């Protein structure tokens, strides 16, 4: 088990190695993938990536919260939250014996 | 939107690319994230979100239907935390 943080640059490098586009274009396309997913979710449409997982937008109603420091009750406004559900394939890959 | 629709939309926006290359790009992105998580790494995509792995210890569970106790093995679970920019976009574009 290592403990590294993978970023856009690592994804772009993998695309560069795999597809044979320039490094710049590989980076642009990684960005385009993330943007297309984000734009779709912002429009309220769910995104389902087979063997990886699904992203869905959930609407949360208003509820009463509390400032943990002062104990004062404050209303939490209704909001949308993004929920990721990992697919079985992803879950089992993560639990494979090394 | 499914993965194949994602590929289609990206191909429409990048007419200079072959469809099979767009498909390879999308597959590579998700394969790399999966591989990183399987190796115990964290994937941080600023503005979009971060994928991480959480460890769950072995525990004694119960079959809710029969009440029988069952041993649940230790496992790792993938997690996603929405990035700040995306979380804000979800809430201000109405």
């Amino acid at each position: 088990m290592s403990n590294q943080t993978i970023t856009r640059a690592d994804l772009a490098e993998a695309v560069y190695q795999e597809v044979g586009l320039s490094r710049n274009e590989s980076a642009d396309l990684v960005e385009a993938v993330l943007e297309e997913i984000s734009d779709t979710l912002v429009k309220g449409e769910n995104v389902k990536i087979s063997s990886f997982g699904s992203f869905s937008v959930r609407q949360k109603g208003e509820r009463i919260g509390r400032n943990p420091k002062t104990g004062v009750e404050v209303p939490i406004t209704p909001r949308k939250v993004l929920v990721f559900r990992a697919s079985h394939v992803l879950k089992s890959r993560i639990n494979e014996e090394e | 939107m499914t993965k194949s629709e994602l590929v289609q939309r990206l191909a429409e926006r990048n007419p200079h690319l072959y469809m099979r290359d767009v498909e390879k790009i999308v597959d590579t992105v998700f394969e790399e994230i999966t591989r990183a998580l399987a190796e115990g790494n964290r994937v941080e995509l600023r503005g979009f979100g971060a994928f991480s792995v959480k460890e769950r210890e072995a525990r004694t569970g119960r079959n809710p239907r029969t009440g029988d106790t069952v041993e649940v093995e230790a496992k790792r679970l993938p997690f996603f935390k929405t990035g700040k920019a995306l979380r804000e976009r979800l809430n201000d574009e109405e």
Side-chain angles (χ1 to χ4, degrees):
Chain A
M1 282 255 122
S2 42
N3 225 325
Q4 290 170 288
T5 298
I6 271 61
T7 63
R8 278 176 172 74
D10 300 297
L11 300 183
E13 180 64 25
V15 167
Y16 169 74
Q17 299 288 345
E18 227 21 77
V19 188
L21 303 170
S22 73
R23 279 209 157 82
N24 264 333
E25 192 161 29
S26 300
D28 287 348
L29 279 149
V30 168
E31 203 52 53
V33 170
L34 299 178
E35 247 166 53
E36 196 64 54
I37 296 173
S38 304
D39 291 351
T40 302
L41 293 165
V42 168
K43 279 187 274 172
E45 194 186 330
N46 294 341
V47 177
K48 193 175 170 189
I49 308 295
S50 64
S51 355
F52 185 76
S54 62
F55 298 89
S56 52
V57 179
R58 198 182 289 166
Q59 176 74 52
K60 305 259 262 180
E62 188 181 72
R63 64 200 164 92
I64 301 300
R66 211 180 263 279
N67 179 329
K69 207 176 286 183
T70 63
V72 179
E73 285 189 352
V74 280
I76 297 173
T77 53
R79 64 192 63 200
K80 287 179 189 148
V81 294
L82 179 53
V83 183
F84 173 69
R85 242 190 119 227
S87 77
H88 289 293
V89 179
L90 177 57
K91 285 184 189 167
S92 58
R93 285 268 314 262
I94 288 175
N95 284 285
E96 269 167 24
E97 300 298 323
E98 274 111 74
Chain B
M1 177 172 77
T2 61
K3 191 169 81 178
S4 54
E5 286 164 344
L6 171 62
V7 168
Q8 229 155 27
R9 292 182 200 185
L10 286 165
E12 279 164 23
R13 288 183 193 195
N14 296 276
H16 62 294
L17 296 178
Y18 290 111
M19 183 78 119
R20 60 159 193 274
D21 282 344
V22 177
E23 212 169 338
K24 219 168 172 190
I25 291 161
V26 170
D27 283 339
T28 302
V29 167
F30 292 109
E31 174 54 30
E32 279 302 301
I33 298 173
T34 303
R35 213 162 56 97
L37 294 174
E39 288 169 4
N41 295 327
R42 185 184 144 78
V43 180
E44 194 176 304
L45 305 167
R46 282 283 161 86
F48 181 77
F51 296 92
S52 59
V53 178
K54 291 194 181 174
E55 307 262 352
R56 287 277 175 272
E57 277 177 31
R59 62 187 168 86
T60 307
R62 238 169 230 287
N63 179 328
R65 202 194 309 236
T66 62
D68 295 346
T69 57
V70 278
E71 295 309 316
V72 181
E73 280 179 40
K75 63 184 165 195
R76 297 194 200 111
L77 287 174
F79 260 85
F80 177 74
K81 184 170 186 275
T82 312
K84 190 160 175 264
L86 180 53
R87 195 171 58 228
E88 287 171 358
R89 276 191 70 197
L90 284 171
N91 286 291
D92 59 34
E93 284 192 14
E94 248 115 77

